[in-house]
Each structure stands twice: as C-alpha cells, then as structure tokens.
C-alpha cells in the first residue's frame, strides 16, 4: 500500500497520509511553504513504501 508524506527541503517530515490528496490538501493550504521559528521552508510531497 502506498503512503505519502510532506517533507521540507531539509528533509524534516511534517506529516504522512495514506492518500496523495491528504498531503495535497495540506500543501495547498500553506502554498508549498512551511513556516516555523527558524523561517520559511519549501515543502514537497513524496511517496513512501
């Protein structure tokens, strides 16, 4: 079964989902940018086994 995750460009995992759409909703909600105390980070959706 496929799973998907959202990770920052530094490799920090933000969330996982059993569907691509679950990650896509999160990604769309923050316009591809994750913001924390250290600044803004681009995020990506990856497929995991």
């Amino acid at each position: 079964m496929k799973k998907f995750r959202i990770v920052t460009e530094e490799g920090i995992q933000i969330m996982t989902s059993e569907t691509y759409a679950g990650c896509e909703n999160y990604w769309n909600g923050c316009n591809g940018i994750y913001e924390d105390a250290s600044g803004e980070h681009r995020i990506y959706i990856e497929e995991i086994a």
Side-chain angles (χ1 to χ4, degrees):
M1 175 181 255
K2 294 181 182 180
K3 285 191 173 186
F4 300 88
R5 69 180 179 175
I6 292 190
V7 293
T8 65
E9 56 195 346
E10 294 84 14
I12 300 168
Q13 182 172 305
I14 305 299
M15 70 166 288
T16 61
S17 176
E18 294 197 9
T19 65
Y20 184 87
C23 285
E24 186 177 41
N25 287 338
Y26 183 90
W27 191 94
N28 287 335
C30 56
N31 294 319
I33 302 290
Y34 174 75
E35 192 170 342
D36 63 11
S38 66
E40 292 184 347
H41 310 275
R42 289 187 177 270
I43 56 175
Y44 303 93
I45 299 173
E46 293 183 343
E47 183 179 329
I48 53 178

